[in-house]
Amino acid sequence: MSTKSTSEILAERGKTHGDFGDNAEIGEGIMALLTRGSSFDQLTQTQRHALRMITLKMARICSGNPNERDHWADCAGFATLALERIQPEHPELPLQSAPEIEEWLHILQWP
């Protein structure tokens, strides 16, 4: 079994993830806008981290392959992780499980 070199892995990821510099510029730009929100300081560490991860995926969508299913599923996943952590404090919020998210993506006929 052969192991891929770092340069081979980066070239492969570049096809789906886009240019690393572009991702940094887009992702950090989105985060800079989010920090200007009046409620940003009220976010928990977990919520801020989920937003940062979602912005990373958004940057990859916009600079890489926008049809890469994993990018979209990861956005939903990070949002779900944040929601699961606020659910006990806010039982009125509906909690979507991963299968329900997958069903929603299927209904939207996402690739």
Side-chain angles (χ1 to χ4, degrees):
M1 179 168 110
S2 66
T3 311
K4 292 182 181 178
S5 70
T6 301
S7 60
E8 290 172 322
I9 293 169
L10 290 175
E12 186 178 288
R13 294 292 192 282
K15 294 175 186 173
T16 55
H17 294 28
D19 179 76
F20 182 72
D22 292 345
N23 283 322
E25 183 177 356
I26 294 167
E28 291 303 311
I30 294 169
M31 280 306 298
L33 289 172
L34 294 176
T35 63
R36 293 170 44 190
S38 61
S39 299
F40 187 82
D41 291 338
Q42 297 171 30
L43 297 173
T44 66
Q45 183 176 10
T46 301
Q47 291 167 333
R48 285 191 308 271
H49 186 65
L51 285 175
R52 181 166 297 284
M53 296 305 296
I54 291 168
T55 61
L56 166 66
K57 301 305 177 172
M58 291 169 65
R60 288 179 176 176
I61 289 165
C62 292
S63 66
N65 179 357
N67 296 316
E68 180 66 33
R69 183 179 172 86
D70 285 350
H71 299 330
W72 297 97
D74 287 347
C75 287
F78 287 117
T80 299
L81 290 170
L83 178 58
E84 287 173 350
R85 281 151 181 82
I86 63 169
Q87 184 66 23
E89 299 171 22
H90 300 281
E92 73 280 5
L93 296 175
L95 181 60
Q96 298 283 323
S97 67
E100 289 170 321
I101 292 169
E102 285 296 318
E103 180 181 345
W104 179 75
L105 290 171
H106 177 72
I107 290 169
L108 292 176
Q109 299 178 345
W110 202 257

